[in-house]
Amino acid sequence: MTRTPVNVTVTGAAGQIGYALLFRIASGQLLGADVPVKLRLLEITPALKAAEGTAMELDDCAFPLLQGIDISDDPNVAFDGANVALLVGARPRTKGMERGDLLQANGGIFKPQGKAINDHAADDIKVLVVGNPANTNALIAQAAAPDVPAERFTAMTRLDHNRALTQLAKKTGTSVADIKRLTIWGNHSATQYPDIFHATVAGKNAAEVVNDEKWLAEDFIPTVAKRGAAIIEARGASSAASAANAAIDHVHTWVNGTAEGDWTSMGIPSDGSYGVPEGLISSFPVTTKNGSYEIVQGLDVNEFSRARIDASVKELEEEREAVRALGLV
Ligand code: NAD
Ligand code: LMR
């Protein structure tokens, strides 16, 4: 049986994450080795030629699953019929730019893209926002798409999740495959809270295995939360291959489900769980099944965790206030 191709729209396709992402999507790693895909690349006009170059290389890979590539600088065209949208292109902060300027510039990108998704995407559209500030950009896009169920707009904290897995595996002398139920709470920013209190390492409670609150507070949490800045410092450019890898993981898990007994972290619109104000796009522990996700309920949140979740959620509330003041949500 020939399957209908899935339309995957990628914005910022000519950027560094785009270059690390597109080949993996086309090879079947996003949706599955038996799922044909059509790529829709959205770029700004000056970057269209570079996107064409990437499309030429995609052609030259002769991926059996890749059934077409369209390139456009018009969101209404790029999101037409989209089943999956990866919003990677964003306005980076440049010298002298204030936080409000950055939010306004990104509003100019994510508001029209949200509207184009609202008007043109397929009914089953799933959106992942990667471009920073990812949680608030997702909120802006979602607010501009009132006809799309709000839960289809998600923000990427899977890179933070993966970073935390590796740090914990190194500390405990185990493999990332031995670790389950780790959680990133809050914002994809330095205030995020990587939580190991419910995680297990080879079946044992991770916090008990580690048994070192100083390491947790002074090493693990800051290392994970500031990893993005450390990569920029080391590479002279922000994370690209690891960010693309996390985007693949995020969508693959959303579509194909979490493993029994495990969960993942996704930035999703809050339903008020764990005291996170409704509507904020915040990272939670989630399980996924049949293309839907649910927040893991009933976890005990200790004082150590509560203070850190609250601090990150406060930052998200401030970002929401700032974009409200700009009329973006
Ligand atoms: P990049 O500058 O290499 O590429 C961005 C691309 O987006 C450029 O090609 C640019 O032309 C394009 N673009 C800009 N405005 C656009 C628009 N309106 N429509 C379509 N395309 C547009 O940046 P990158 O390294 O690929 O990173 C992209 C974003 O991802 C940045 O905001 C970065 O901070 C963010 N990021 C997020 C995470 C995460 O974990 N959530 C991790 C790494 C990077
Ligand atoms: C990351 O976590 O690597 C990025 O979000 C950092 C950045 O500012 O682009």
Side-chain angles (χ1 to χ4, degrees), residues 3 9 11 18 23 97-98 123 132 150 247 251 256-257 271 288 298 325:
R3 290 184 62 162
T9 300
T11 77
F23 298 85
M97 205 175 189
E98 296 300 330
D123 287 346
N132 281 321
V251 174
N256 294 296
D271 62 358
T288 59

Side-chain angles (χ1 to χ4, degrees), residues 10-19 42-44 47 75 87-92 106 108-110 113 129-134 137 155-160 163 188 235 237-240 242-243 246:
V10 179
T11 77
Q16 49 152 9
I17 294 177
Y19 195 72
L42 179 68
E43 257 299 351
I44 52 172
L87 309 191
V88 178
R91 175 75 163 81
N106 277 301
I109 295 173
F110 288 87
Q113 290 184 2
V129 176
V130 174
N132 281 321
N137 286 340
M156 191 164 92
T157 53
R158 185 63 172 264
L159 178 54
D160 311 298
R163 286 167 171 165
H188 171 67
R235 245 172 55 83
S238 69
S239 61
S242 57

